[in-house]
Amino acid sequence: MVLSGADKNNVKGVFSKIGGQAEDYGAETLERMFATYPQTKTYFPHFDLGKGSAQVKGHGKKVAAALVEAANNIDDIAGALSKLSDLHAQKLRVDPVNFKLLGQCFLVVVASRNPQLLTPEVHASLDKFLCAVGTVLTAKYR
Amino acid sequence: MVHWSAEEKQLISSVWGKVNVEECGAEALARLLIVYPWTQRFFSNFGNLSSPTAIIGNPKVRAHGKKVLTSFGEAVKNLDNIKGTYSKLSELHCEKLHVDPENFRLLGDILVIVLASHFGRDFTPSCQFAWQKLVGVVAHALARRYH
């Protein structure tokens, strides 16, 4: 799977439009993921996962920042997320299937908050981008 | 048999009550063909699928999308017997059309995204939970003949 020039522009466009709200998008993505796919809570036994949780908001901010970083370095996502890739492989060992679940929830957040932004073409590009991020984060698992 | 809580049933039917089946169905199928282009192989007789614009405007895509989502309505009306409701369609998709069951999951995910785009903030996390559960059950029922 390769990100075309058009894909890269579409992705950059999304994050540019989201701008400073990226943190909110990140928090809502996690909130939706825990609500929709309760099994994902297994990775956060130390978190308060209740509504409005400050820990979820804080973590959502981190997740969003990583996505923004990847989008800003879209020609070298592996390089940009190298440390995160190590972290997920060696310490967190999040089952690869969960990145798809997170990706689905991020797309739902974009769709619900900014439907005009998520045209079919942008949807396709963003889906590919999120897959690429998941691939990078699990690349060093074995 | 799948257990549905009263809240889940309410979330499903209240969303469904406001869905424009023709529009949402057409959009969901078009997005499936655009976002996951390999799914186009099942629609080689649909004519022009050469670009997102062509796909979105394709009358056969629109008509089939409406058909697919109308059939979803049967699941909504028969939450306690989705298996039975989809028995014939499962036979068709598995034994005649040979559709990889993964595609049912992909369409389900896209439908959830389309609903989110139409309902905005009203498509709450609880709503998403109920609907992801529903599309998962439908996908499973459709794939039953493979099991």
Side-chain angles (χ1 to χ4, degrees):
Chain A
M1 182 199 62
V2 166
L3 293 173
S4 70
D7 288 328
K8 292 177 185 180
N9 283 334
N10 285 338
V11 171
K12 283 176 183 291
V14 167
F15 284 94
S16 149
K17 195 80 203 288
I18 290 174
Q21 292 188 294
E23 291 175 14
D24 290 340
Y25 277 58
E28 191 180 333
T29 297
L30 288 182
E31 188 196 344
R32 284 183 179 273
M33 190 182 73
F34 295 136
T36 307
Y37 309 108
Q39 67 272 24
T40 55
K41 295 195 254 189
T42 189
Y43 297 100
F44 301 90
H46 52 304
F47 267 29
D48 160 28
L49 298 177
K51 199 160 164 56
S53 157
Q55 286 174 305
V56 172
K57 283 204 169 91
H59 199 70
K61 192 175 165 180
K62 276 191 200 172
V63 170
L67 290 177
V68 168
E69 183 70 7
N72 288 340
N73 295 280
I74 205 162
D75 291 324
D76 182 20
I77 298 176
L81 300 186
S82 178
K83 286 211 167 67
L84 270 179
S85 181
D86 291 337
L87 179 70
H88 282 76
Q90 291 150 21
K91 194 167 165 236
L92 302 177
R93 293 179 296 186
V94 172
D95 191 301
V97 74
N98 293 295
F99 297 105
K100 287 195 193 157
L101 305 183
L102 182 79
Q104 168 72 1
C105 290
F106 185 75
L107 287 167
V108 168
V109 173
V110 175
S112 73
R113 286 185 178 230
N114 216 326
Q116 297 93 328
L117 187 56
L118 203 70
T119 63
E121 292 93 328
V122 169
H123 179 170
S125 301
L126 199 53
D127 190 79
K128 282 168 79 173
F129 168 74
L130 292 165
C131 282
V133 169
T135 299
V136 162
L137 290 176
T138 55
K140 301 176 195 176
Y141 271 29
R142 56 174 173 167
Chain B
M1 204 190 84
V2 181
H3 171 74
W4 300 95
S5 73
E7 192 200 355
E8 287 162 10
K9 287 187 180 186
Q10 196 273 323
L11 287 168
I12 288 168
S13 56
S14 77
V15 165
W16 186 253
K18 300 175 210 148
V19 165
N20 179 326
V21 171
E22 185 166 351
E23 282 307 314
C24 283
E27 194 180 336
L29 186 62
R31 282 179 186 259
L32 180 76
L33 299 173
I34 292 165
V35 178
Y36 307 114
W38 56 90
T39 57
Q40 292 170 26
R41 72 180 286 275
F42 297 105
F43 301 98
S44 49
N45 63 335
F46 269 30
N48 188 2
L49 299 178
S50 60
S51 70
T53 312
I55 290 170
I56 293 163
N58 186 310
K60 285 189 172 173
V61 171
R62 292 192 67 83
H64 197 71
K66 179 182 175 184
K67 200 175 180 183
V68 167
L69 201 57
T70 301
S71 134
F72 237 90
E74 291 304 303
V76 173
K77 272 187 261 171
N78 296 286
L79 289 177
D80 293 327
N81 184 23
I82 292 181
K83 244 180 352 199
T85 303
Y86 277 95
S87 174
K88 286 218 160 65
L89 275 177
S90 181
E91 211 178 296
L92 174 70
H93 283 76
C94 299
E95 293 172 16
K96 193 169 165 232
L97 304 174
H98 304 300
V99 178
D100 188 308
E102 177 62 11
N103 295 298
F104 307 142
R105 200 189 64 77
L106 294 180
L107 182 62
D109 278 353
I110 288 202
L111 178 60
V112 167
I113 289 169
V114 169
L115 292 176
S117 72
H118 282 252
F119 291 97
R121 310 310 278 136
D122 288 344
F123 198 70
T124 61
S126 305
C127 245
Q128 185 183 350
F129 172 80
W131 274 86
Q132 294 277 184
K133 182 174 168 179
L134 175 60
V135 302
V137 169
V138 169
H140 186 82
L142 274 174
R144 252 190 115 230
R145 288 301 264 236
Y146 281 136
H147 299 172

